[in-house]
Amino acid sequence: MRLLKIIPDNTNIGFVRVRHIAFAITAFLTVAAIALVGVHGLNMGVDFVGGVSIEEKFQSPPHLDEVRETVNRLGFGEAALQQLGGQNTVTIRLPVPHSKADDAVDKMVESVKTALAAKFPGATFSTYSTVSGKVSGELVNKGVLAVILAIVGIAIFSWFRYEWQFGVSTAVAIIHDVLMALGFFAVTGMVFDLNIVAAVLTIIGYSINDKMVIDDRIRENMRKYRKMGMSELIDLSVNETLPRTVMTSLTIMLALASLLIFGGPVLRGFTAAMMLGIVVGTYSSIYVSSSLLITLGLKPGPREEKPSAASGAERVGPREGA
């Protein structure tokens, strides 16, 4: 088992001494992510911009990659597929046609039906529906609200569980993680849909779990080493939890790598967001969240000194004299 250890025991890495460099990098990446989202925007999926959902039934479960390639060749935009029921029925989601003609949607659906019938003999059209802009707008609002409430709830929980400094540092680190994910999708142009919102919420959950482990150890060491300086105490706490942090991240990355390789295009965006979130979340837990506690003025509690016998006699003396 010693050969499998990635992080040796009793590490003594000085994470706090490079906190100013880490803060500068974090600030730069955060501003860059905001700028990229503001300039390039996000490639919103059908869930957020509206679109057409077509239901097609096949004689046998089709290969989704072949269905997607057949539909994408028609030039209506990137198709999002989902198998239903016994895997023979596939839902195909496409963006709303740019044409303002009344029959634009009907023509698009007819083109998809013809192409699929030619590629997959026996395929039959079931029905189609259109996602309106109002529904997509509600999905955007609810997705943003879910992310904001998750961050606020985590910050409040950390505040009450520990000290207010823990709540602020955790919120800052999680906001950084979320913005990194948004910046990644702005750069790559990958489709941002409800699956990515789920990935962002999962990233928040992973980040708070990682940070809570370190925060618990910091609070424990604050009670144990009351005379130790905060820099040394935080370095000690992070080093003590480092094997757990790294091994957890690597284990999840291995699972995500399998999804990225074998999961197909449907899970590609979700998996990419998760992998980025694990890397960024691990970095922010080690270099940002914990070191920020020093900047926020967190200090170990005062030593509880027990009264000595002499001091007790001095307090009794005046009463006896009285």
Side-chain angles (χ1 to χ4, degrees):
M1 294 298 294
R2 291 181 178 179
L3 297 177
L4 297 178
K5 284 188 176 181
I6 299 176
I7 303 299
D9 296 330
N10 301 320
T11 56
N12 188 24
I13 304 174
F15 297 105
V16 173
R17 68 186 179 200
V18 297
R19 69 181 186 277
H20 297 297
I21 299 175
F23 291 166
I25 295 174
T26 301
F28 172 77
L29 292 176
T30 301
V31 173
I34 295 174
L36 287 170
V37 173
V39 174
H40 294 285
L42 298 173
N43 183 18
M44 295 293 191
V46 176
D47 296 325
F48 295 134
V49 298
V52 180
S53 178
I54 304 172
E55 188 173 298
E56 190 82 6
K57 189 173 183 179
F58 300 82
Q59 289 187 339
S60 60
H63 293 288
L64 293 184
D65 291 342
E66 295 181 2
V67 177
R68 183 179 293 101
E69 182 180 356
T70 302
V71 176
N72 288 344
R73 285 177 181 174
L74 301 177
F76 295 116
E78 186 175 352
L81 308 182
Q82 182 179 4
Q83 285 181 304
L84 304 175
Q87 307 298 314
N88 288 8
T89 303
V90 178
T91 298
I92 305 168
R93 291 181 295 174
L94 289 168
V96 176
H98 296 294
S99 175
K100 296 183 179 180
D102 295 336
D103 59 347
V105 174
D106 293 334
K107 289 182 178 180
M108 182 180 72
V109 173
E110 189 64 32
S111 298
V112 173
K113 287 168 51 180
T114 303
L116 291 177
K119 178 67 176 180
F120 304 92
T124 57
F125 168 77
S126 297
T127 183
Y128 81 90
S129 60
T130 303
V131 180
S132 66
K134 180 179 179 179
V135 173
S136 63
E138 292 178 355
L139 291 176
V140 172
N141 295 334
K142 290 181 179 179
V144 173
L145 181 61
V147 174
I148 293 176
L149 290 178
I151 296 175
V152 173
I154 290 168
I156 294 175
F157 173 79
S158 298
W159 189 331
F160 282 97
R161 179 179 174 86
Y162 306 109
E163 302 289 342
W164 68 268
Q165 290 93 339
F166 287 95
V168 174
S169 64
T170 299
V172 169
I174 292 178
I175 291 173
H176 164 263
D177 299 344
V178 172
L179 289 176
M180 291 301 99
L182 296 180
F184 170 78
F185 279 91
V187 170
T188 60
M190 299 176 67
V191 176
F192 192 93
D193 53 18
L194 286 178
N195 291 331
I196 307 306
V197 174
V200 171
L201 293 174
T202 307
I203 290 171
I204 293 175
Y206 169 81
S207 296
I208 185 58
N209 177 70
D210 202 14
K211 291 168 178 58
M212 284 295 178
V213 171
I214 298 177
D215 289 348
D216 275 331
R217 185 56 59 89
I218 291 175
R219 186 176 63 169
E220 178 183 340
N221 287 335
M222 286 174 62
R223 295 172 178 174
K224 188 176 180 180
Y225 306 105
R226 294 182 181 273
K227 289 187 176 181
M228 183 180 291
M230 279 304 300
S231 298
E232 294 81 3
L233 191 146
I234 289 177
D235 277 339
L236 174 64
S237 302
V238 175
N239 278 282
E240 287 178 344
T241 56
L242 189 61
R244 179 266 175 200
T245 300
V246 174
M247 286 303 299
T248 301
S249 300
L250 289 179
T251 302
I252 298 176
M253 290 291 286
L254 289 175
L256 292 174
S258 300
L259 286 177
L260 187 64
I261 298 173
F262 303 108
V266 176
L267 296 176
R268 187 165 297 150
F270 176 87
T271 307
M274 283 295 300
M275 294 183 75
L276 175 68
I278 297 302
V279 174
V280 174
T282 303
Y283 157 79
S284 63
S285 298
I286 295 175
Y287 286 99
V288 179
S289 179
S290 56
S291 296
L292 191 59
L293 296 173
I294 299 176
T295 305
L296 295 174
L298 182 66
K299 296 180 180 179
R303 173 177 289 273
E304 297 176 2
E305 298 183 355
K306 296 182 179 180
S308 61
S311 61
E314 291 175 358
R315 288 196 297 268
V316 174
R319 294 197 186 111
E320 292 177 350

